[in-house]
Amino acid sequence: MTTFRLLRQTSRCSRFAQVTVDLDPVGGPGVEVAATVAVEFRREADLGARWALRGVSTATKVIVTAVVATEIDTGTADVYEATAHAVWQALGVQHSVPYVGFSDPQMVASWLTEMIGRRLDAVIEARHWYQGRRESDAESLLHAWLYFDHAMPVGLHHRGDELLLAKEDPYRSYDMDEHGETRVGPALSPDVLSKFVGARLIDGAVIVGHDGALVGAGLDLRFDTGSLVVGALGDEWVLATDAEPAALTSYWTRQPFLRGTTR
């Protein structure tokens, strides 16, 4: 058995989840959650184990035997992340993706619910620069991190038509030799995400793509200063403010707003 404890406390927030997994070498590939725990944490444990198994060649069955969470310090994706790390540790593998991202619409909606009513304190962006220049807003954007008050920063990543969220700190700027450089810093005007720094989130909806309710493709965020759509389409960013992008009618489906506010 292998146990991983996710434990972090900062001036912004606290995170805690402890997950124990066991490996069954004759059980065939798959995941079983045997732990007695709340439904939402069972779901996170199952999805977290499956995230860890992506790209791992193994016929071993992963059994989640125990999950420990607290009412105060365990938030959305904490059990998910702890489970992924426990599986990697049990298998003795180095994970190839440097973050534990989630796009499950139920988990994204749960995170959104926790953020509603909070102020967006800051946005950090990673952008590609080449010979001292960069492309326009969505074209040069690589990743972004949203800092809501009293919450762990959440990174936005895209993979194909999938928007992935990850509770993480931004990485540092780095040089890409002949391919340019990646600069990481605060979102600046006139770029879209900078317009919402200091605004309060009043409602939100999850956007799903061609896989229906299985994979999140974007977010429709309503702030007290306006609305923002951010999503992934064809491995590129879609950013729109106060107007619905064409993707919402052509490729995406927006789930109901969590608070049901009107524009």
Side-chain angles (χ1 to χ4, degrees), residues 191-231:
D191 292 327
V192 167
L193 295 178
S194 69
K195 300 177 181 179
F196 297 92
V197 175
R200 191 171 300 277
L201 185 66
I202 59 175
D203 205 350
V206 180
I207 296 170
V208 295
H210 58 82
D211 289 325
L214 298 178
V215 175
L219 301 170
D220 193 338
L221 306 175
R222 291 180 176 174
F223 292 90
D224 54 7
T225 59
S227 63
L228 166 68
V229 172
V230 54

Side-chain angles (χ1 to χ4, degrees), residues 9-12 15 21 36 68 85 96 99 104 107-108 111-112 116 132 141 148 154 166 205 217 222 224 231 246 250:
Q9 185 168 5
T10 70
S11 59
R12 299 185 62 87
R15 300 183 70 193
V21 301
T36 302
V68 180
H85 283 286
S96 59
Y99 61 91
D104 174 69
M107 287 182 61
V108 176
W111 171 78
L112 265 179
I116 290 175
L141 183 65
F148 285 97
V154 167
R222 291 180 176 174
D224 54 7
S250 302

Side-chain angles (χ1 to χ4, degrees), residues 52-53 56-58 84-85 87-96:
L53 291 174
V56 177
S57 299
T58 177
H85 283 286
V87 171
W88 281 323
Q89 189 171 298
L91 292 172
V93 301
Q94 294 291 325
H95 51 93
S96 59

Side-chain angles (χ1 to χ4, degrees), residues 89-246:
Q89 189 171 298
L91 292 172
V93 301
Q94 294 291 325
H95 51 93
S96 59
V97 179
Y99 61 91
V100 181
F102 60 96
S103 65
D104 174 69
Q106 289 188 34
M107 287 182 61
V108 176
S110 178
W111 171 78
L112 265 179
T113 300
E114 294 174 1
M115 295 305 105
I116 290 175
R118 302 182 190 233
R119 185 180 64 253
L120 183 62
D121 288 337
V123 175
I124 301 298
E125 297 178 333
R127 291 188 176 274
H128 176 245
W129 287 70
Y130 182 72
Q131 295 184 346
R133 301 178 64 183
R134 43 153 277 198
E135 298 293 336
S136 60
D137 196 355
E139 286 73 17
S140 65
L141 183 65
L142 300 175
H143 303 108
W145 293 265
L146 308 181
Y147 283 72
F148 285 97
D149 64 329
H150 297 97
M152 181 75 184
V154 167
L156 304 181
H157 303 258
H158 63 55
R159 182 175 57 191
D161 296 332
E162 183 180 13
L163 175 68
L164 290 155
L165 281 65
K167 288 185 171 180
E168 61 177 0
D169 292 314
Y171 49 76
R172 295 182 179 181
S173 302
Y174 60 90
D175 186 70
M176 301 167 65
D177 299 322
E178 69 271 17
H179 300 293
E181 60 181 316
T182 294
R183 298 184 186 180
V184 180
L188 300 175
S189 179
D191 292 327
V192 167
L193 295 178
S194 69
K195 300 177 181 179
F196 297 92
V197 175
R200 191 171 300 277
L201 185 66
I202 59 175
D203 205 350
V206 180
I207 296 170
V208 295
H210 58 82
D211 289 325
L214 298 178
V215 175
L219 301 170
D220 193 338
L221 306 175
R222 291 180 176 174
F223 292 90
D224 54 7
T225 59
S227 63
L228 166 68
V229 172
V230 54
L233 185 63
D235 213 26
E236 296 182 355
W237 289 109
V238 175
L239 301 172
T241 60
D242 298 318
E244 295 189 350

Side-chain angles (χ1 to χ4, degrees), residues 61-97:
K61 183 176 182 179
V62 174
I63 304 173
V64 180
T65 59
V67 174
V68 180
T70 70
E71 184 176 350
I72 296 175
D73 295 327
T74 306
T76 300
D78 291 345
V79 169
Y80 177 85
E81 184 172 333
T83 304
H85 283 286
V87 171
W88 281 323
Q89 189 171 298
L91 292 172
V93 301
Q94 294 291 325
H95 51 93
S96 59
V97 179

